[in-house]
Amino acid sequence: VGAAATAIGATLTAGCSGTLGTALYSNWQAAEQFVRNTINSVMSVAERTFQTPWGNRIVDAYNSATNVIAEAKYGYQSLSQFIQSEIQRDLWLLETGQVKVVEWHFFVSQVTGNGGPSGPLLETLLESGFKVIFH
């Protein structure tokens, strides 16, 4: 997955070998916390909540100084209706200038051994102008 992602413009985290699953976290909460720490995110839910025309978007991480929001996904993820709604809201925040950068981080599940986006999800994220990072 890492080599394919690189070929189409996705970003790998510094220090990774280019293989999805280099860094393992025990659960989705640990993965979210890692992303918050990585971008120096504000911690309160209220500070990470944005209003959009489709309702509130609570992002996993937000750095108000750099105007970066980040989403952490644990395990294999497909382009579900829920994820489509997250993308729609994130894209609106980006297009309206409320944020400068949208990052989506993917982590391998220690339970299933699977992780990363499906092809359609990865394509949608990249077409939306989001930064995609594999851990």
Side-chain angles (χ1 to χ4, degrees):
V1 172
T6 301
I8 58 175
T11 304
L12 299 173
T13 58
C16 284
S17 66
T19 303
L20 182 63
T22 303
L24 293 177
Y25 296 88
S26 58
N27 55 43
W28 63 266
Q29 294 95 334
E32 282 185 9
Q33 188 59 53
F34 172 81
V35 171
R36 286 187 191 111
N37 293 344
T38 299
I39 72 164
N40 297 316
S41 173
V42 295
M43 296 307 291
S44 79
V45 172
E47 291 174 293
R48 294 184 284 113
T49 301
F50 294 86
Q51 294 182 358
T52 76
W54 306 277
N56 286 345
R57 172 67 166 113
I58 302 170
V59 297
D60 292 334
Y62 172 54
N63 182 312
S64 57
T66 59
N67 238 3
V68 173
I69 60 173
E71 180 69 20
K73 294 297 184 193
Y74 190 77
Y76 180 76
Q77 302 292 321
S78 61
L79 190 57
S80 67
Q81 186 174 359
F82 176 76
I83 287 180
Q84 286 176 339
S85 73
E86 289 182 316
I87 293 169
Q88 178 185 39
R89 292 170 186 176
D90 289 356
L91 184 57
W92 185 83
L93 292 170
L94 187 62
E95 289 177 340
T96 59
Q98 293 186 54
V99 300
K100 290 183 181 175
V101 176
V102 177
E103 298 180 355
W104 279 51
H105 296 250
F106 291 90
F107 298 84
V108 170
S109 166
Q110 283 192 349
V111 175
T112 66
N114 296 319
S118 67
L121 173 54
L122 179 59
E123 184 177 324
T124 301
L125 293 171
L126 294 174
E127 286 176 355
S128 298
F130 299 174
K131 186 175 180 183
V132 176
I133 302 169
F134 298 97
H135 297 274

